[in-house]
Every structure is written in C-alpha cells, then in structure tokens.
Amino acid sequence: YLKLDRSMIEGVAGSARDLAVLRAIVAMAGALDLKVIAEGVESEAQRALVAAEGCEFYQGFLRAQPMGAEEFLTLARG
C-alpha cells in the first residue's frame, strides 16, 4: 500500500496542480502494483475525486470521528 498524507488531499478538489500531483502519485503506485489509501478525507467531494483518480481506500472524518476503543469495536462490528 501507498498512503497519501492528508496534506496531499486538502486542496486537491480546488487546485489543478494538487490534482496533477495526486495523479502522478497514483500512477506511480499503479506501476509498482501498490494500492493507494487517501488519508484525511473530510468531504464527499474529496472522496469522490480520489476514488475517481484510483484511490481504492480512504480514511478520515468523512467516515468517522476520532473515537475510543469501545466505540471502534461497535463500529467495526457494525
């Protein structure tokens, strides 16, 4: 896996330059047969954009806020 830091995701929806960097990283990961995880996804627009660019996984406040162990177990057991 290749994990993108949240700083790579923050401005991607509004910056052509940031989007170009994201595309280059995803292409490099693909060439290395690595899946990409986007960290720090906070909006549906960010999630949709990174998914469209080939990030198969994401984590961030869009999915869940910080939580304790018991809350996590409840979420995981879903």
Side-chain angles (χ1 to χ4, degrees):
Y1 292 92
L2 186 140
K3 187 172 184 179
L4 297 176
D5 185 74
R6 80 183 282 277
S7 64
M8 301 292 301
I9 304 303
E10 281 180 315
V12 76
S15 168
R17 187 180 186 121
D18 288 354
L19 181 57
V21 171
L22 173 67
R23 287 179 174 157
I25 292 170
V26 170
M28 179 190 66
L32 296 170
D33 199 28
L34 297 172
K35 294 181 191 269
V36 179
I37 302 169
E39 178 183 82
V41 175
E42 297 181 359
S43 71
E44 181 57 32
Q46 288 174 327
R47 189 214 56 80
L49 191 142
V50 298
E53 295 301 329
C55 296
E56 295 184 47
F57 305 98
Y58 76 94
Q59 66 184 76
F61 290 159
L62 178 63
R63 177 67 179 115
Q65 298 292 316
M67 64 185 77
E70 288 299 317
E71 292 170 297
F72 174 76
L73 286 174
T74 302
L75 177 66
R77 291 180 180 143

